[in-house]
Amino acid sequence: MGLQNEEKLELGCSSSQPRSKKWVLLTVRVIAFLATATATLVMALNKETKTLVVATVGSTPIKLTLTAKFQHTPAFVFFVIANGMASFHNLLMIMVELFGQKLDYKGLRLAMIAILDMTTVALVSGGASAATFMAEVGKNGNSHARWNKICDKFETFCDRGGVAIIASSAGLILMLIISVMSITKLLNKPKSISS
Amino acid sequence: MIKPKRLLSLLLRFIAFGATLAAVILMATSHEKGTFFAVSYEAKYTDTPAFKYFVIANAIVTVYGFLVLFLPPGSPIWRLVLALDLVFIMLLISSISAAMAIAQVGKNGNPRAAWLPVCDQVTKFCNQVTGALVAGFIALITYIILLLHSIYNFLNPLFEKA
């Protein structure tokens, strides 16, 4: 009788409540992966070419071709790298949850997932904020430093950059939720292992 | 009298509070007059929204750090402190990242966008901003250590009795 009660208690603790939580966490991870992957792709493929007519010699106009690429600005490069790594991290976590239930290393699985989630939140927040402020300078210019705005000449570039930053911010909020859920899972795990 | 673990946590929080305070003060008092092609102007931290955000974010974290220093060890608010630590780490990271992005353009310029570097004309301003960023980094690392320390303490409550 006592053994049966103990068995029921152990099974009840580990399988009934976290099942729906597991699917919620997985869905949020998928959405976060889509958001960060979108941000990476949109910013990485962000390129605009513009030809300006500078002068006219006789009847042939001299054209000047200007390109705006994301590689010109280190902040955008960091943005692409950070969001790329976040997408990779989300994909890895989804795979581990779906296919690698038995993967464990000395009982540190939940701790490693929580710490990795926190580092990814840090990375994405850094990338998103740097890109936001660079985009703000590009859009409004800076009169004190004599930096002219470039968004009136390269509208498509700025629009796509804006979309990427919005997607990354959405991904950041979702990653923060995921991180909080991972830490909660870590702190609430059944402590019946060592005692 | 005071347990060594509590003393270490208190010391780290004091260091973090001091670092964010230093970052705020260094950034807020940085201004310099310079000439830019025979036009004189003054460089202040309010010229860029990124530096303003840096000052505001670090000020918020300074107030939070100051309040947490006086929290008694046994109260249940420490769980909330754990969550708030994560949120404020994110805030610190984003503020440092934004300020560094603008500072990098100010130091090296961006030739493709015809943005000239301004650090040659206002060297003292640039150095003080660099100092503020370094203080921000120290605060960030200290808060990360504190967060890991808090999670470790929550995971091993049995070890304290031994």
Side-chain angles (χ1 to χ4, degrees):
Chain A
M1 188 64 167
L3 267 173
Q4 269 182 354
N5 273 346
E6 253 183 53
E7 262 186 77
K8 257 200 224 168
L9 200 66
E10 261 190 53
L11 280 176
C13 271
S14 61
S15 65
S16 67
Q17 203 210 13
R19 186 146 289 175
S20 65
K21 228 184 187 181
K22 179 182 133 169
W23 285 112
V24 168
L25 188 61
L26 202 60
T27 320
V28 180
R29 267 201 208 278
V30 168
I31 302 177
F33 164 68
L34 289 174
T36 45
T38 313
T40 318
L41 283 173
V42 169
M43 187 60 96
L45 301 171
N46 200 3
K47 189 173 136 167
E48 192 180 351
T49 319
K50 236 185 163 66
T51 42
L52 306 167
V53 176
V54 178
T56 324
V57 178
S59 60
T60 52
I62 301 180
K63 294 202 177 77
L64 182 65
T65 317
L66 291 169
T67 350
K69 283 193 266 203
F70 83 95
Q71 294 114 319
H72 295 339
T73 324
F76 289 161
V77 173
F78 176 50
F79 177 81
V80 168
I81 294 176
N83 278 280
M85 287 180 69
S87 323
F88 176 65
H89 162 88
N90 275 327
L91 195 62
L92 196 68
M93 288 298 148
I94 292 173
M95 292 296 151
V96 161
E97 278 211 40
L98 284 179
F99 303 126
Q101 281 295 342
K102 291 286 194 313
L103 280 176
D104 203 350
Y105 180 71
K106 292 189 191 167
L108 280 178
R109 177 200 169 99
L110 287 176
M112 281 173 68
I113 291 181
I115 290 180
L116 282 174
D117 276 339
M118 282 192 284
T119 50
T120 315
V121 163
L123 207 60
V124 173
S125 81
S129 84
T132 311
F133 279 98
M134 281 309 294
E136 193 272 338
V137 173
K139 194 170 180 65
N140 299 335
N142 193 329
S143 53
H144 301 274
R146 308 283 191 278
W147 292 339
N148 300 323
K149 56 180 152 182
I150 59 168
C151 268
D152 46 358
K153 301 189 195 70
F154 291 98
E155 271 188 40
T156 328
F157 181 75
C158 280
D159 285 340
R160 289 201 203 130
V163 166
I165 292 174
I166 291 175
S168 178
S169 306
L172 176 67
I173 293 176
L174 291 169
M175 293 258 12
L176 189 61
I177 295 175
I178 291 174
S179 181
V180 166
M181 283 167 85
S182 305
I183 294 182
T184 320
K185 255 170 98 168
L186 174 67
L187 294 178
N188 290 340
K189 82 171 172 188
K191 293 190 177 72
S192 57
I193 307 169
S194 52
S195 62
Chain B
M1 197 184 75
I2 307 179
K3 284 190 291 200
K5 214 170 237 187
R6 161 97 179 132
L7 192 64
L8 177 70
S9 156
L10 212 60
L11 186 68
L12 282 174
R13 285 206 187 266
F14 188 69
I15 290 175
F17 163 71
T20 46
L21 191 64
V24 169
I25 291 177
L26 277 175
M27 186 65 95
T29 56
S30 65
H31 57 88
E32 190 184 346
K33 281 197 185 351
T35 54
F36 193 77
F37 293 136
V39 177
S40 82
Y41 74 106
E42 185 172 359
K44 283 195 298 247
Y45 79 96
T46 42
D47 290 344
T48 331
F51 291 168
K52 280 193 278 196
Y53 175 55
F54 182 80
V55 166
I56 292 173
N58 276 278
I60 292 175
V61 180
T62 309
V63 170
Y64 164 75
F66 185 68
L67 290 175
V68 170
L69 276 179
F70 297 120
L71 207 56
S75 86
I77 304 185
W78 281 104
R79 293 213 150 206
L80 182 65
V81 167
L82 182 68
L84 282 179
D85 263 352
L86 182 63
V87 171
F88 284 124
I89 283 177
M90 207 179 79
L91 192 65
L92 277 181
I93 287 182
S94 84
S95 72
I96 289 176
S97 177
M100 262 218 292
I102 302 295
Q104 190 268 339
V105 179
K107 194 170 177 67
N108 300 336
N110 194 336
R112 311 237 189 203
W115 292 341
L116 301 172
V118 290
C119 265
D120 303 324
Q121 280 89 26
V122 280
T123 331
K124 192 175 82 102
F125 174 72
C126 274
N127 288 343
Q128 208 159 336
V129 165
T130 314
L133 286 174
V134 168
F137 254 119
I138 292 174
L140 175 69
I141 293 176
T142 317
Y143 267 110
I144 291 178
I145 295 175
L146 275 169
L147 182 71
L148 293 175
H149 183 76
S150 307
I151 292 182
Y152 180 73
N153 281 344
F154 270 117
L155 279 182
N156 299 313
L158 305 167
F159 286 7
E160 268 183 18
K161 293 187 185 142

